């Protein structure tokens, strides 16, 4: 990695030393520290109060055993995590990820990113993240339920409306949130809607939360296009993943006049020049919990399934990586730029490697970082918390309007901050600096805690 300024390098070296082997966490920290030089020069009080060093150390890290019994009667053991990273702005807030790749370094990178993302939303939420190395793939509903119940049997003592409010992420959607909420309610004998977000509409969930991350990414890109007098009309878009974020991004791109010509999953990708058929994709992914091979089979001659190469080879104007971290590398970035891609926005958290970001920006591709572009999900979670606290529930239209305003606000704040700190048009630096200042000022005010 390129070296940082002297002060930031010292802090980064300490992060490496204190968190050995946590490559994703190192990467996320480096990316933020790389933007902070001009901020620290302007505000010496942040250095005096060791704000950056404190920000890099989670306030609390919880690791626990999750025992459960599979359908064959075999006892299984997974590891559960909740990293409560920073509560300067509000209760810890961030999703739970169930995926075999989950370990402390992944949870910490996600929790660290979440601090700045949540600050950018302007809502009163701190940053946290959690999850497990449990793999829901191929597991029956009953197994997923037993796992969720066991996970919550430990987690419940650490969360609360005013403490820590988890939600979904990879492998955790409406089904899992339902089972988790049910177990919390049973253990505590309290109907506390505000302890989780992403709940079903019948038990305290907000309209638009399911759609919010994908819609929000597309609203953000729409702002980028408008800033250049352009629109989605007629644009070719490629999305990676076909999960929660990807599917609702596809829906909103189509609603705004673009066409999503390809999407992917962990088994391959599908090219569908007439535009991905969202109803079919939802059926395959959400109901059947199947793969894109099933989508291609049911779609017939219109779709082509590919199991070698990757989705970034499909020419597009706009790319929305929405699967997982480090899924798009320098080689992919070169191909995208060569094929005429003009905008890339991160639907996933840290999907683009640092080398690829550099290549894209050098090639003139506008780059929107996840902590700004995908903040619509957590922002709508904060709206769910607001509704739960006031025992209210808002209409779809009202909630979507609020989401649109929040995304526009984040977009403008990134650009204004980038301009103020001498890096005009740089959304990454703008997001990092604006998010950091908001948290740092609160940390200064709260004293050395
Ligand atoms: P889902 O579990 O709904 O979907 C994930 C998708 O990505 C699936 O299509 C999955 O493939 C694919 N995928 C996941 N891991 C890998 C991997 N290691 N290799 C290849 N493909 C993979 O998750 P979400 O849509 O919720 O999350 C996607 C990304 O968006 C994550 O980075 C998450 O952190 C981020 N995010 C999510 C938010 C939310 O509200 N849900 C909010 C903000 C960011 P398959 O279908 O084969 O499993
Ligand atoms: O990465 C994210 O922002 C999320 N997974 C959503 C977190 C939330 O609390 O809604």
């Amino acid at each position: 990695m390129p070296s940082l300024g002297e002060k930031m390098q010292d802090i980064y070296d300490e992060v490496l030393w204190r968190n050995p082997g946590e490559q994703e966490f190192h990467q996320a920290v480096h990316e933020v520290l790389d933007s902070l030089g001009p901020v620290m020069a302007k505000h010496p009080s942040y250095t005096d109060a060791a704000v950056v060093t404190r920000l890099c150390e989670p306030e609390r890290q919880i690791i626990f055993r999750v025992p459960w019994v599979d359908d064959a009667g075999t006892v299984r053991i997974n590891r559960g995590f909740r990293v409560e990273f920073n509560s300067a702005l509000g209760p810890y807030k961030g999703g739970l990820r169930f995926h075999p790749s989950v370990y402390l370094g992944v949870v910490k990178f996600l929790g660290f990113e979440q601090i700045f993302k949540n600050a950018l939303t302007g809502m009163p939420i701190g940053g946290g993240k959690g999850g497990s190395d449990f793999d829901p793939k191929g597991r029956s509903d009953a197994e997923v339920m037993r796992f969720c119940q066991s996970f919550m049997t430990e987690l419940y003592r650490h969360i609360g409306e005013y403490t820590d409010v988890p939600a979904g992420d990879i492998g955790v959607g409406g089904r899992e949130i339902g089972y988790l909420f049910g177990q919390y309610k049973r253990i505590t004998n309290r109907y506390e809607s505000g302890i989780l977000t992403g709940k079903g509409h019948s038990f305290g969930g907000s309209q638009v939360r399911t759609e919010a991350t994908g819609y929000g990414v597309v609203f953000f890109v729409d702002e980028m296009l408008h800033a250049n007098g352009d629109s989605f009309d007629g644009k070719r878009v490629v999305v990676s993943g076909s999960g929660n974020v990807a599917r609702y991004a596809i829906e909103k791109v189509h609603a705004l006049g673009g066409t999503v010509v390809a999407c992917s999953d962990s088994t391959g990708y599908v090219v569908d020049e007439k535009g991905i058929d969202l109803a079919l994709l939802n059926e395959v992914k959400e109901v059947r919990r199947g793969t894109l091979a099933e989508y291609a089979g049911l779609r017939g001659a219109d779709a082509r399934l590919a199991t070698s190469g990757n989705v970034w080879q499909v020419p597009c104007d706009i790319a929305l990586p929405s699967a997982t971290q480090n899924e798009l590398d320098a080689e992919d970035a070169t191909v995208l730029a060569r094929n005429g891609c003009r905008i890339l926005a991160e639907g996933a958290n840290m999907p683009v490697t640092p080398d690829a970001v550099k290549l894209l920006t050098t090639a003139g591709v506008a780059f929107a970082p996840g902590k700004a572009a995908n903040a619509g999900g957590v922002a709508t979670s904060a709206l769910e918390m607001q509704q739960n606290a006031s025992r209210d529930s808002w209409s779809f239209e009202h909630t979507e309007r609020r989401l649109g305003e929040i995304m526009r606000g984040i977009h403008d704040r990134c650009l204004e901050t980038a301009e103020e700190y001498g890096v005009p048009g740089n959304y990454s630096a703008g997001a990092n600096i604006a998010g950091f200042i908001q948290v740092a000022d609160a940390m200064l005010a709260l004293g050395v805690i």
Side-chain angles (χ1 to χ4, degrees), residues 69 168 173 188 226 266 285-286 293 301 333-334 345 358 379 383 393 409 433 446:
V69 181
T188 60
H226 285 165
S266 57
K285 286 304 202 181
E286 191 67 15
T334 307
K358 209 169 296 155
L383 300 180
S393 88
I433 295 171
L446 297 178

Side-chain angles (χ1 to χ4, degrees), residues 6 11 14 19 54 64 83 97 116 131 141-142 186 199 208 240 254 266 297 333 366 378 406 422 427 448:
E6 193 187 334
I11 294 173
E14 195 178 327
N19 305 277
R54 282 193 281 147
F64 52 97
V83 172
R97 176 177 292 192
F116 307 99
D141 274 1
R186 185 178 190 198
K199 298 180 295 295
V208 193
S240 67
H254 288 171
S266 57
V378 76
I406 291 167
Y427 286 96
V448 179

Side-chain angles (χ1 to χ4, degrees), residues 73-85:
T74 307
V75 175
R76 305 270 178 178
I77 304 294
N78 285 100
R79 189 170 286 178
F81 301 91
R82 187 71 185 167
V83 172
E84 299 181 334
F85 224 117

